[in-house]
Amino acid sequence: MSTGRRVAPLNRLLAALPRRESQRLLAVCEPVELKFGEILYQPDEPIRHVYFPTESFVSLLIPVDAKASLEVGLIGNEGMVGTPLILGVDVSPLRALVQGAGPAWRMTAAAFLRELGRSPALRRTLHRYLQVQMRQLAQTAACTRYHVVEARLARWLLMTQDRAHVDGFHVTHELLAYMLGVRRVGVTKAANSLQKRKLIRYHRGEVTILDRAGMEAASCGCYQTDRQTYESAFANA
């Protein structure tokens, strides 16, 4: 695994708030260490906490049948986990699964709703983020339907790098197939192609991105669209 750790900023949603609002919110949060494979909530079960990742990241998965799920979102320090509560809904159709272990801020659902009710700045920030997330979910659906596996894999690896804040991370072919909703052989072919182009190094589940610009060129346009959607929404926050 690469040791090229990047500087991980604080959670960007919290940082977008006025300083006093951010400090008050952090005062009712607790720091937690999320563990790889930890399930934060299941479909149709109550959401008991919201999470603001800092160096961890969480996959949002939609169950397809009794055995399969598909990733429709990846949340890192740019966002929060538990967005249905913003709309007053205490359950989600999605599973929240920790894909990258690390620190996060956690707040009970009750405390979050109290803060949401008393803070116009928090409401504005999270409504903006919710709009971004809805658009990104729609973008992911279109990407899954229309784009080839290699471009989707490049997009997923870039998204993971953005949230892991490192150039290298551990991920298996089985997990990639599960996340992308394709057969393992398709992931193997796509990963081999990216490696032959010297964009990544992949061995025994360890992926290192060697050429960031090349990976962005290899990915589908959905990657840049997602980033531009977020940056545009918070440009004047």
Side-chain angles (χ1 to χ4, degrees), residues 194-208:
L194 293 174
Q195 185 158 248
K196 287 178 181 178
R197 294 163 63 183
K198 301 187 185 303
L199 301 179
I200 66 171
R201 181 170 62 246
Y202 187 88
H203 182 66
R204 295 184 181 275
E206 300 297 331
V207 178
T208 302

Side-chain angles (χ1 to χ4, degrees), residues 9 23 28 30 36 58 71 77 89 96 107 113 115 140 148 164 175 184 199:
Q23 288 177 338
V28 293
E30 62 175 331
F36 175 78
V58 178
E71 184 182 80
N77 74 304
V89 179
M107 183 188 306
L113 292 173
E115 292 300 321
T140 296
V148 299
L175 178 61
R184 179 177 170 179
L199 301 179

Side-chain angles (χ1 to χ4, degrees), residues 14-230:
L14 299 181
L17 295 171
R19 183 176 179 83
R20 178 179 292 184
E21 299 277 338
S22 178
Q23 288 177 338
R24 191 180 74 234
L25 202 65
L26 287 173
V28 293
C29 289
E30 62 175 331
V32 294
E33 284 287 328
L34 301 183
K35 298 178 181 179
F36 175 78
E38 182 180 357
I39 296 175
L40 304 183
Y41 55 74
Q42 292 276 25
D44 301 321
E45 292 184 0
I47 298 173
R48 304 189 186 282
H49 295 90
V50 300
Y51 298 82
F52 295 91
T54 53
E55 296 182 62
S56 53
F57 53 98
V58 178
S59 287
L60 299 180
L61 305 166
I62 182 75
V64 178
D65 53 36
K67 296 182 179 179
S69 296
L70 178 67
E71 184 182 80
V72 294
L74 191 62
I75 312 299
N77 74 304
E78 84 293 343
M80 67 165 280
V81 180
T83 51
L85 288 173
I86 301 171
L87 300 174
V89 179
D90 65 356
V91 297
S92 170
L94 306 176
R95 176 180 297 115
L97 175 69
V98 178
Q99 288 292 356
W105 292 103
R106 182 174 73 180
M107 183 188 306
T108 67
F112 173 76
L113 292 173
R114 285 196 301 270
E115 292 300 321
L116 195 64
R118 70 185 294 190
S119 173
L122 180 61
R123 289 197 300 273
R124 285 194 300 270
T125 298
L126 294 185
H127 287 169
R128 193 177 293 122
Y129 174 65
L130 188 59
Q131 182 182 15
V132 169
Q133 192 178 54
M134 290 171 65
R135 181 167 179 178
Q136 289 177 343
L137 287 171
Q139 191 75 40
T140 296
C143 182
T144 301
R145 172 64 179 83
Y146 290 107
H147 294 153
V148 299
V149 174
E150 183 175 330
R152 290 170 55 207
L153 174 60
R155 177 197 182 206
W156 191 91
L157 293 175
L158 288 168
M159 290 171 60
T160 300
Q161 183 187 36
D162 288 344
R163 290 155 177 83
H165 310 291
V166 291
D167 295 329
F169 39 87
H170 183 81
V171 60
T172 64
H173 280 196
E174 289 87 351
L175 178 61
L176 287 170
Y178 181 75
M179 291 294 109
L180 297 175
V182 298
R183 296 174 59 192
R184 179 177 170 179
V185 64
V187 170
T188 300
K189 182 178 179 181
N192 286 341
S193 176
L194 293 174
Q195 185 158 248
K196 287 178 181 178
R197 294 163 63 183
K198 301 187 185 303
L199 301 179
I200 66 171
R201 181 170 62 246
Y202 187 88
H203 182 66
R204 295 184 181 275
E206 300 297 331
V207 178
T208 302
I209 293 182
L210 303 174
D211 182 350
R212 172 82 189 189
M215 283 289 282
E216 290 186 13
S219 71
C220 57
C222 297
Y223 174 71
Q224 288 297 342
T225 297
D226 280 350
R227 295 192 66 176
Q228 291 167 4
T229 296
Y230 188 97

